[in-house]
Amino acid sequence: MIRLHPRPVAVLAVAAALAVAMAGCTPTPSPAPSAAAPEVTSSAPLPGADGPAASPSAPALSPTGSATENLALFTQVVEEVWGGAEQVSGRAYIDALDAAGFDKTAMQVTPDQTVIGNPAESIEFSVRWGEECLVGQVGPSIGDPVTAVLPGLSTGDCLIGQTRPIDW
């Protein structure tokens, strides 16, 4: 007869619960590109084409769409700001997202500076979208910008920790 001790079973239960909880903290990987249909990025006409080559449409805000459906536009805006002079300015991201049509009243942003006045190693910003959140993270410690759709918090917020007022 095998006898289970309560302590190892409890440790396994806690480990399983942590694994499930942490699974929600990682962004979903992008699907691998398909080798069957390569994307054409040239703006020149294709050989034998009668008119200009079709170009993929730019992402657009879909007010009735899901957070996932609006992630492409969110990401594009974040990458545009990241490529400019105000890479680590939370206000620059909020203003650009607002200009793209995202609801400023549904946004949060972390401070650009630490409590002792040093530049932040990273800043986070978000837009609440129904029960989900579009979340971005940028900064010198991050490398390339990171964007993701994450579950919203039960408080109605997206970010945990200190955020600053968006009062401009």
Side-chain angles (χ1 to χ4, degrees):
M1 172 190 237
I2 297 176
R3 190 167 209 197
L4 296 176
H5 295 281
R7 185 177 216 135
V9 171
V11 169
L12 288 174
V14 169
L18 280 173
V20 168
M22 293 304 290
C25 295
T26 58
T28 304
S30 299
S34 170
E39 190 173 311
V40 178
T41 58
S42 171
S43 60
L46 295 173
D50 293 333
S55 63
S57 62
L61 186 70
S62 176
T64 59
S66 68
T68 301
E69 291 168 336
N70 284 290
L71 181 61
L73 177 60
F74 183 85
T75 301
Q76 177 183 330
V77 171
V78 169
E79 289 173 349
E80 286 173 0
V81 175
W82 180 251
E86 297 183 280
Q87 288 184 329
V88 192
S89 166
R91 182 174 182 155
Y93 292 93
I94 298 303
D95 289 348
L97 290 166
D98 181 41
F102 289 97
D103 180 5
K104 193 174 190 177
T105 64
M107 296 183 197
Q108 290 182 282
V109 64
T110 59
D112 295 349
Q113 296 184 339
T114 66
V115 293
I116 58 172
N118 292 331
E121 287 294 315
S122 72
I123 60 170
E124 293 80 33
F125 42 88
S126 65
V127 179
R128 181 73 183 217
W129 198 274
E131 295 298 314
E132 297 180 305
C133 298
L134 294 155
V135 179
Q137 184 176 22
V138 297
S141 68
I142 303 301
D144 291 334
V146 176
T147 61
V149 174
L150 299 173
L153 302 173
S154 62
T155 61
D157 292 333
C158 294
L159 303 178
I160 296 174
Q162 182 185 3
T163 59
R164 69 184 219 202
I166 299 174
D167 54 6
W168 61 89

